[in-house]
Amino acid sequence: MLTALQVITIVSVGLMVGVEFSVAFVMNRIFNALPEDSDQLARSHGGRMLGAVMPVWYISSLVLAAVWAIAGWHHEGTGLVVTAAGLLILSVIMSLLLLVPINNQGKTWTPENRPADWKEQMNRWDRYHYVRVAVIIAAFALLVTALT
């Protein structure tokens, strides 16, 4: 049973890392290369779409890691799992305090109502997102290492 939990947790966190890495290093670069209105419209749509899915994914991944830490308390590698869960908590806090407020504004913007500094706000979101991606990559690496 613990092995199944470990696999499910690693797959969930790994896929989340893949999506967030893709947003940071592929999708946003594609969006930035589009003409101005298209860039902003793509980011708004992405904010609405991923803004609905990612909170559930972040929380469920955190819960899975916490359950793994509790279920495997007396197994080797539990410290790594607890540390990974702590990093996932940090990623949720970062999301709530730094990224979600910007995303909530950006997902409502259109070319007609966006603020003059919309690109600056998107660049700030990108910088926070890079840090969050590094945090969840570290959590993923710790979870994988906990298996060995």
Side-chain angles (χ1 to χ4, degrees):
M1 184 67 150
L2 182 60
T3 302
L5 175 63
Q6 293 167 328
V7 169
I8 291 168
T9 304
I10 288 174
V11 168
S12 177
V13 174
L15 289 171
M16 183 174 70
V17 165
V19 168
E20 294 291 32
F21 186 90
S22 176
V23 166
F25 297 103
V26 178
M27 298 310 300
N28 284 347
R29 290 177 187 220
I30 291 170
F31 296 162
N32 289 340
L34 296 172
E36 190 166 299
D37 288 350
S38 299
D39 175 17
Q40 185 266 303
L41 291 170
R43 284 178 172 266
S44 293
H45 181 66
R48 286 188 299 275
M49 190 177 90
L50 291 174
V53 174
M54 296 314 288
V56 175
W57 207 340
Y58 272 80
I59 297 299
S60 63
S61 293
L62 170 58
V63 168
L64 286 167
V67 171
W68 175 357
I70 292 166
W73 191 251
H74 298 292
H75 290 85
E76 220 174 292
T78 301
L80 296 172
V81 177
V82 170
T83 304
L87 289 173
L88 292 173
I89 289 169
L90 176 61
S91 74
V92 169
I93 292 169
M94 288 177 63
S95 297
L96 293 172
L97 295 179
L98 302 173
L99 290 118
V100 168
I102 298 169
N103 190 60
N104 283 344
Q105 291 177 353
K107 68 185 183 182
T108 65
W109 294 339
T110 65
E112 293 78 30
N113 73 0
R114 66 184 178 218
D117 69 340
W118 73 272
K119 282 190 175 188
E120 180 183 309
Q121 291 186 50
M122 290 297 96
N123 288 335
R124 188 170 66 247
W125 186 94
D126 289 345
R127 287 190 304 273
Y128 293 148
H129 184 65
Y130 293 143
V131 175
R132 180 175 62 179
V133 169
V135 168
I136 62 174
I137 287 172
F140 177 69
L142 289 169
L143 291 171
V144 171
T145 303
L147 289 179
T148 59

